[in-house]
Amino acid sequence: MALVSAVPLNSKLCLCKTLFGFSHELKAIHSTVPNLGMCRGGKSIVPSMSMSSTTSVSNEDGVPRRVAGHHSNLWDDDSIASLSTSYEAPSYRERADRLIGEVKNIFDLMSVEDGVSTSPLNDLHHRLWMVDSVERLGIDRHFKHEINSALDHVYSYWTEKGIGRGRESVVTDLNSTALGLRALRLHGYTVSSHVLDHFKNEKGQFTCSAIQTEGEIRDVINLFRASLIAFPGEKIMEEAEIFSTMYLKDALQKIPPSGLSQEIEYLLEFGWHTNLPRMETRMYIDVFGEDTTFETPYLIRAKLLELAKLEFNIFHSLVKRELQSLSRWWKDYGFPEITFSRHRHVEYYTLAACIANDPKHSAFRLGFGKICHMITVLDDIYDTFGTMEELELLTAAFKRWDPSSIECLPDYMKGVYMAVYDHINEMAREAQKIQGRDTVSYARKSWEAFIDAYMQEAKWISSGYLPTFDEYLENGKVSFGSRITTLEPMLTLGFPLPPRILQEIDFPSKFNDLICAILRLKGDTQCYKADRARGEEASSVSCYMKDHPGTTEEDAVNQVNAMVDNLTKELNWELLRPDSNGVPISYKKPAFDICRVFHYGYKYRDGFSVASVEIKNLVTRTVVETVPLKGEFV
């Protein structure tokens, strides 16, 4: 959203001359970031973090400003310096590489009849279990070929009734079918959800036994996981989700605390769209190996678990170096001195690390962390702190795209502008190595659209105008910023995105539009009350109530959440549909995962404003702490 104006909209924009002797080192700028002096010679103030949640402050000229009073940065240099790098020793990497080879051999032996405890009566389930295990343990990037071969084998035995545990099984098996339905869909195979109809009783209902055994509970766990990969109009998936949710909640009341209960709690809490891979890996490391219903040799489980722990901790050492680099960037551009804004660069980096744990993807993780932080600072500038005149100056500067534009900006905006300018150029250089073309112009257009959307919201607030729901959402899909947080980091990944392919993922594709709509709507359900308290009335909730007189606030929130649920199923389809115009799922997956990242951030509250609860725990669990090895497997 944007802020209340103190200066008329018709204030003239000064035309800046080229800044003589400008240096990208920004040393002179950094020393003045806290000041709010305009190029017209305005006075300056420095807001205090002791202000209340929404505080109005004025400079000596009486210009009112609002400060939201967000809590400060939670992760200082000492916190980052304390991170362990003990797993950088070559011996850990060597041990992990040996285990990777041994696990590859296990996959290879699965194709041998009666090998590795497999037989024609359990080979399909064993393959699916291996695929599911390496994915949930966060080590699947080492086994892409093996995963594809295993799934090809399973798919070759797939029927309209699903599959049994093995290729010669005479009856279908719910656990294997549900596990297969989920895995095959996620990897682009065409499978119908109607296979689940064959696990209903004569009344067309899913049923369970009177006594819940561990085996049956695990059947329903995989039914629940499969039900979340639903497409629009799939009633059977809705029924499966309702049944499995109720069943698992009931099971939690009956079974003792254990790895099984911990897994159920996690799945019910995070599902799929708010489940972050590294977060799941951390949970699964703790519970892996407790499944006694499937006869897998201890040695196989031991190797998988040790490899998962090693990879988790080796990556942890890389995280420290990247966070130190991010912290230097944050300080070099003077962000610590912008005390009215939120500083969540470490949190954003953590979210990126939770979806991209390949060491080669450093540019993606750092790029995402930087872009999200800059967007958050700009959000606080356009929402609360800047005047309309200042925002017009900043918007014009972004459209000029010239470092000399900072001459007419308030001092507190200069470092922010240069951070954006330098970063887009830096990311474009990284992208050119992969894409083989200059992407600066493409990125600039996305940023200009984003800034224009911010400016539109500023005008709405300044004038007191409450738009219609459709008008608000069209602008809000852009102002959320999900497109620019996705576009530039995605271009640095290791696959080429020619314009034809990029347009199927980025604007104006339906895939991109769905992500933008989901995040704007979901974000509003957690932010609208705090925004309204700051004078920012426009939100999907408020605009829906305007369009539907007599609707209560609770009903409006429920309607928006229902929209999110429906759009999420559409997004599933756009990600996984077979006729995807030649765009592999792996090309779309980073954008989809970024959607999951933000969805997670808004699960309980506005986690990007109040990052001291769930998001802080996420940082601690996935970035700060390592997992104990204890030398169990040597």
Side-chain angles (χ1 to χ4, degrees):
M1 306 301 295
L3 91 160
V4 175
S5 172
V7 183
L9 279 173
N10 61 2
S11 299
K12 296 180 180 179
L13 301 178
C14 59
L15 299 177
C16 303
K17 300 178 180 179
T18 301
L19 187 62
F20 178 75
F22 177 79
S23 168
H24 281 208
E25 295 179 359
L26 288 171
K27 293 179 180 177
I29 294 175
H30 292 168
S31 64
T32 61
V33 167
N35 300 322
L36 302 177
M38 297 290 292
C39 59
R40 310 186 194 290
K43 304 292 184 179
S44 64
I45 64 167
V46 179
S48 167
M49 286 308 291
S50 62
M51 297 172 179
S52 62
S53 59
T54 306
T55 304
S56 295
V57 294
S58 300
N59 65 10
E60 294 178 13
D61 290 336
V63 177
R65 300 181 185 274
R66 294 178 299 118
V67 180
H70 301 294
H71 67 74
S72 58
N73 174 36
L74 300 175
W75 308 98
D76 57 19
D77 286 347
D78 290 339
S79 300
I80 296 172
S82 68
L83 297 179
S84 170
T85 57
S86 57
Y87 290 94
E88 286 184 316
S91 59
Y92 291 107
R93 183 69 264 164
E94 292 167 2
R95 174 60 178 155
D97 289 341
R98 286 197 300 272
L99 285 167
I100 290 169
E102 292 171 9
V103 174
K104 284 178 181 287
N105 288 336
I106 294 171
F107 270 104
D108 291 340
L109 288 171
M110 286 192 304
S111 62
V112 179
E113 187 173 349
D114 297 324
V116 198
S117 191
T118 64
S119 77
L121 298 179
N122 70 3
D123 63 319
L124 300 182
H125 190 87
H126 187 82
R127 282 172 167 83
L128 289 168
W129 179 86
M130 282 290 293
V131 170
D132 191 56
S133 295
V134 297
E135 289 183 340
R136 298 180 78 184
L137 288 170
I139 52 178
D140 54 301
R141 65 186 176 88
H142 299 298
F143 309 107
K144 297 301 184 184
H145 171 73
E146 290 77 13
I147 289 171
N148 290 335
S149 294
L151 293 179
D152 282 344
H153 181 82
V154 170
Y155 191 60
S156 69
Y157 289 94
W158 194 260
T159 73
E160 63 179 13
K161 295 182 179 181
I163 55 173
R165 293 179 70 84
R167 63 186 183 274
E168 295 185 5
S169 299
V170 295
V171 295
T172 54
D173 174 61
L174 175 58
N175 198 333
S176 302
T177 299
L179 200 56
L181 174 61
R182 181 181 188 277
L184 291 171
R185 273 199 172 181
L186 289 177
H187 287 268
Y189 296 81
T190 302
V191 286
S192 171
S193 59
H194 286 298
V195 293
L196 299 180
D197 283 323
H198 300 281
F199 298 96
K200 292 180 175 181
N201 63 15
E202 62 279 0
K203 296 181 180 180
Q205 299 173 333
F206 290 103
T207 59
C208 57
S209 61
I211 301 176
Q212 295 176 332
T213 64
E214 182 177 345
E216 184 181 79
I217 291 173
R218 292 194 180 276
D219 290 350
V220 178
I221 283 176
N222 281 325
L223 178 64
F224 173 77
R225 295 174 67 213
S227 73
L228 303 178
I229 319 299
F231 298 151
E234 289 191 312
K235 185 179 179 181
I236 183 67
M237 296 293 256
E238 294 180 9
E239 293 172 351
E241 182 181 359
I242 292 170
F243 166 78
S244 55
T245 299
M246 293 176 61
Y247 179 98
L248 293 175
K249 286 183 177 179
D250 182 64
L252 275 178
Q253 304 301 313
K254 299 176 180 178
I255 62 176
S258 60
L260 179 60
S261 66
Q262 184 179 341
E263 182 178 357
I264 293 172
E265 289 171 350
Y266 181 92
L267 291 171
L268 291 176
E269 186 73 12
F270 298 107
W272 185 38
H273 292 92
T274 58
N275 180 29
L276 308 183
R278 186 168 172 85
M279 180 176 71
E280 181 179 33
T281 292
R282 186 63 190 87
M283 178 279 297
Y284 204 53
I285 283 174
D286 286 343
V287 305
F288 185 72
E290 292 193 21
D291 180 359
T292 60
T293 62
F294 181 54
E295 295 297 330
T296 302
Y298 169 80
L299 186 60
I300 294 178
R301 294 175 181 271
K303 290 180 185 297
L304 291 173
L305 184 56
E306 185 187 4
L307 177 57
K309 289 183 175 183
L310 282 168
E311 290 288 359
F312 192 96
N313 290 347
I314 291 170
F315 181 71
H316 184 274
S317 297
L318 174 63
V319 162
K320 178 176 181 177
R321 294 197 300 272
E322 291 181 352
L323 279 176
Q324 287 174 326
S325 171
L326 181 63
S327 182
R328 285 193 299 271
W329 169 86
W330 178 65
K331 289 184 289 187
D332 286 347
Y333 282 95
F335 285 112
E337 299 171 41
I338 303 178
T339 54
F340 61 81
S341 182
R342 292 163 288 177
H343 295 278
R344 308 289 181 259
H345 49 296
V346 172
E347 289 85 349
Y348 288 128
Y349 170 86
T350 298
L351 292 168
C354 282
I355 60 174
N357 68 349
D358 191 324
K360 298 193 300 290
H361 295 159
S362 177
F364 178 93
R365 291 185 292 273
L366 288 170
F368 181 82
K370 291 176 183 179
I371 290 171
C372 289
H373 177 69
M374 291 185 292
I375 287 175
T376 300
V377 174
L378 287 169
D379 186 58
D380 292 335
I381 289 173
Y382 276 86
D383 271 12
T384 55
F385 198 72
T387 66
M388 283 301 298
E389 182 182 32
E390 292 169 352
L391 299 185
E392 287 181 324
L393 292 171
L394 182 58
T395 302
F398 276 119
K399 291 181 180 295
R400 287 192 64 202
W401 201 247
D402 187 328
S404 67
S405 300
I406 66 170
E407 184 177 323
C408 282
L409 293 179
D411 290 341
Y412 78 96
M413 288 181 171
K414 293 178 179 179
V416 179
Y417 177 88
M418 285 311 306
V420 174
Y421 180 89
D422 288 345
H423 182 68
I424 289 178
N425 287 310
E426 176 189 350
M427 292 295 285
R429 288 190 292 270
E430 288 293 326
Q432 190 163 22
K433 299 174 185 177
I434 306 297
Q435 306 302 329
R437 66 184 190 276
D438 188 359
T439 60
V440 169
S441 177
Y442 194 84
R444 276 187 59 192
K445 290 179 182 177
S446 67
W447 271 90
E448 287 182 12
F450 168 69
I451 293 297
D452 282 342
Y454 262 0
M455 197 65 200
Q456 178 62 69
E457 291 177 347
K459 292 176 181 178
W460 286 342
I461 291 179
S462 177
S463 64
Y465 175 70
L466 183 63
T468 65
F469 180 88
D470 289 343
E471 185 181 8
Y472 169 81
L473 183 58
E474 281 306 303
N475 190 76
K477 287 187 291 189
V478 182
S479 69
F480 187 90
S482 59
R483 183 190 176 199
I484 55 177
T485 62
T486 301
L487 174 62
E488 294 169 66
M490 186 172 63
L491 289 170
T492 68
L493 295 173
F495 48 82
L497 291 168
R500 181 189 70 82
I501 297 293
L502 191 57
Q503 288 181 2
E504 295 292 329
I505 302 172
D506 187 39
F507 178 84
S509 70
K510 184 177 181 180
F511 181 71
N512 174 78
D513 190 70
L514 287 168
I515 289 174
C516 294
I518 288 169
L519 295 180
R520 169 49 69 195
L521 294 172
K522 186 61 182 178
D524 280 0
T525 63
Q526 297 290 6
C527 301
Y528 77 96
K529 290 182 179 179
D531 289 344
R532 187 169 58 197
R534 291 193 296 267
E536 303 159 30
E537 181 62 33
S539 71
S540 57
V541 175
S542 299
C543 294
Y544 185 89
M545 293 174 68
K546 174 190 175 182
D547 288 1
H548 300 82
T551 301
T552 66
E553 187 170 291
E554 181 181 2
D555 287 342
V557 171
N558 290 336
Q559 287 294 325
V560 172
N561 280 326
M563 293 177 199
V564 171
D565 291 341
N566 291 331
L567 291 171
T568 296
K569 289 184 175 64
E570 291 188 48
L571 182 62
N572 291 350
W573 172 250
E574 288 298 317
L575 172 69
L576 303 172
R577 64 189 176 98
D579 56 330
S580 56
N581 297 325
V583 183
I585 292 173
S586 59
Y587 285 25
K588 295 181 178 181
K589 193 61 163 42
F592 181 83
D593 284 341
I594 287 175
C595 181
R596 290 205 287 174
V597 156
F598 286 117
H599 208 154
Y600 171 84
Y602 290 116
K603 180 171 177 59
Y604 304 99
R605 67 191 82 238
D606 175 4
F608 307 107
S609 293
V610 183
S612 56
V613 190
E614 295 85 11
I615 299 290
K616 182 179 180 180
N617 291 336
L618 180 72
V619 176
T620 300
R621 187 96 165 131
T622 62
V623 167
V624 174
E625 298 175 346
T626 57
V627 295
L629 280 176
K630 298 180 181 178
E632 305 104 307
F633 314 118
V634 294

